Amino acid sequence: MNGVTSLAYQIRSDGQRVWGDWAHVPVADVGSGELLIRTSYSSVNFKDALAATGSGKVVRTFPLIGGIDVAGEVAESTDTRFREGDQVVVTGFALGEGHDGGYSQWVRVPADWAVPLPDGMTAWESMALGTAGITAALAIHELEHNGLRPDRGPVAVTGASGGVGSLAVSMLAGRGYDVTAVTGKSDAHDDLRHLGASDVVARPTAREGVPPLESGRWAGAVDSVGGDLLAWLIRTTQRQGSIASFGNTGGHQLDTSVLPFVLRGINLLGINSGYFSHELRQRLWQRMNDDLRPRHLDEIARTIDFRELPQVFPQFLAGRMRGRIVVRVGDQ
């Protein structure tokens, strides 16, 4: 690949500010590892918007190609587990944070980060899922590992109109759960019911003087918001219920007490979809092609062209985005 360049969206810093811009980067300088991937698709996540605009301290080294998700075809491999022409998907680890990511026509990654694209799943579908999908799947896996079953009672999903939330609603409904979607967007109720939510409720407003325990409503919950909303879930979860938590758009501080934990025995499960075992990662990708395959994925996600990428970051930060955004990188 000597002399060949890759069109990439590169994040830069001058020490005072952080910004993203287009660049033609020599393929030899894009990432590192055993696999060279010809990118087909990437996606846009809230973390990508934070990184590309400098609104959050996501990127650890500059300049860096953004994009925490990538799907494509192996062009070169020095690892015997992969051959030229294999279709792979990469999410998590340091991609788009400390290692050149998916906003590039070519990307090189360690082989340990790559998962073979499941049979029957397209590259587009893998990026409609992406980090959001693997996060939702991991959350459901951990909830079920801790005893959640459809017959235990309702499951709440917060931030339900967002990427992870909408996928979680669809996945849980497909598994037979009674899903209550919690959202601050009044115009999203019909869409969430269409995805499988049996009930949709407005996000509760924060108030002072609340008791440490309220009526137990949820057998489990998937929380992508954090802050006061997570505190409310903790107060309203049933005995031996579990909450899978991974978001902080509602704030990283948590005002709660020990009483829900010691009197009701609830579990607060931290979900980090960036780093967990490769075996489980492969298993979850297979599940997302089977019992956790979301219905209406083509309605949850929409596709933009690579050059449209900078236009969507401000919309993410302003909370105006719903569902998932897939980025068509190949054939530019």
Side-chain angles (χ1 to χ4, degrees):
M1 303 298 295
N2 290 336
V4 178
T5 62
S6 178
L7 177 64
Y9 194 76
Q10 197 173 57
I11 303 168
R12 304 169 187 168
S13 175
D14 60 7
Q16 302 295 321
R17 64 189 182 98
V18 175
W19 73 97
D21 203 357
W22 297 105
H24 287 275
V25 182
V27 171
D29 296 337
V30 178
S32 61
E34 298 84 10
L35 302 184
L36 177 65
I37 299 169
R38 182 184 293 106
T39 304
S40 301
Y41 295 96
S42 185
S43 73
V44 185
N45 302 273
F46 188 71
K47 184 180 285 188
D48 293 313
L50 291 174
T53 60
S55 300
K57 295 182 179 180
V58 174
V59 177
R60 301 196 291 268
T61 183
F62 300 95
L64 189 83
I65 297 169
I68 65 172
D69 295 340
V70 64
E73 180 181 297
V74 174
E76 296 177 3
S77 173
T78 58
D79 188 291
T80 57
R81 292 173 292 178
F82 297 95
R83 296 180 298 177
E84 182 179 341
D86 286 350
Q87 297 291 319
V88 295
V89 58
V90 185
T91 63
F93 299 98
L95 200 69
E97 299 178 50
H99 186 287
D100 284 330
Y103 296 159
S104 176
Q105 293 172 313
W106 299 85
V107 61
R108 190 178 292 276
V109 299
D112 285 343
W113 293 7
V115 174
L117 189 69
D119 291 341
M121 180 183 289
T122 67
W124 182 91
E125 289 172 329
S126 75
M127 289 295 93
L129 293 162
T131 288
I134 202 72
T135 301
L138 180 59
I140 294 168
H141 167 83
E142 292 296 332
L143 288 169
E144 293 181 335
H145 182 70
N146 282 271
L148 185 65
R149 301 185 307 274
D151 61 0
R152 288 284 304 275
V155 179
V157 177
T158 67
S161 65
V164 185
S166 56
L167 290 171
V169 167
S170 184
M171 289 176 179
L172 286 164
R175 290 275 292 153
Y177 287 96
D178 177 6
V179 182
T180 295
V182 183
T183 180
K185 297 179 179 177
S186 59
D187 59 348
H189 289 210
D190 288 344
D191 289 342
L192 289 167
R193 287 191 175 90
H194 178 63
L195 293 180
S198 56
D199 193 16
V200 183
V201 299
R203 186 170 56 212
T205 56
R207 64 190 195 277
E208 295 182 358
V210 296
L213 287 170
E214 298 183 54
S215 176
R217 300 174 61 181
W218 321 115
V222 174
D223 176 53
S224 64
V225 177
D228 291 335
L229 197 51
L230 176 55
W232 171 74
L233 286 175
I234 291 172
R235 295 194 302 271
T236 55
T237 293
Q238 300 172 8
R239 293 183 185 276
Q240 281 75 53
S242 297
I243 303 166
S245 174
F246 48 83
N248 60 10
T249 58
H252 64 273
Q253 297 291 336
L254 182 60
D255 184 10
T256 188
S257 80
V258 300
L259 294 185
F261 302 96
V262 299
L263 296 182
R264 287 185 177 166
I266 73 165
N267 303 302
L268 182 58
L269 310 172
I271 303 299
N272 182 341
S273 62
Y275 297 90
F276 61 98
S277 78
H278 189 71
E279 178 185 5
L280 178 56
R281 190 177 296 271
Q282 288 184 300
R283 196 187 328 157
L284 291 180
W285 275 105
Q286 291 297 333
R287 286 194 67 183
M288 286 192 289
N289 200 36
D290 186 19
D291 68 305
L292 289 181
R293 187 178 181 92
R295 298 174 293 182
H296 315 297
L297 189 59
D298 58 338
E299 298 174 26
I300 294 173
R302 66 180 179 90
T303 307
I304 64 171
D305 288 328
F306 198 15
R307 288 289 191 176
E308 297 179 74
L309 188 58
Q311 302 170 23
V312 303
F313 295 138
Q315 298 178 57
F316 265 86
L317 298 180
R320 295 197 298 268
M321 300 301 297
R322 286 192 197 171
R324 294 282 292 152
I325 301 295
V326 178
V327 184
R328 183 187 299 109
V329 178
D331 301 323
Q332 299 292 319

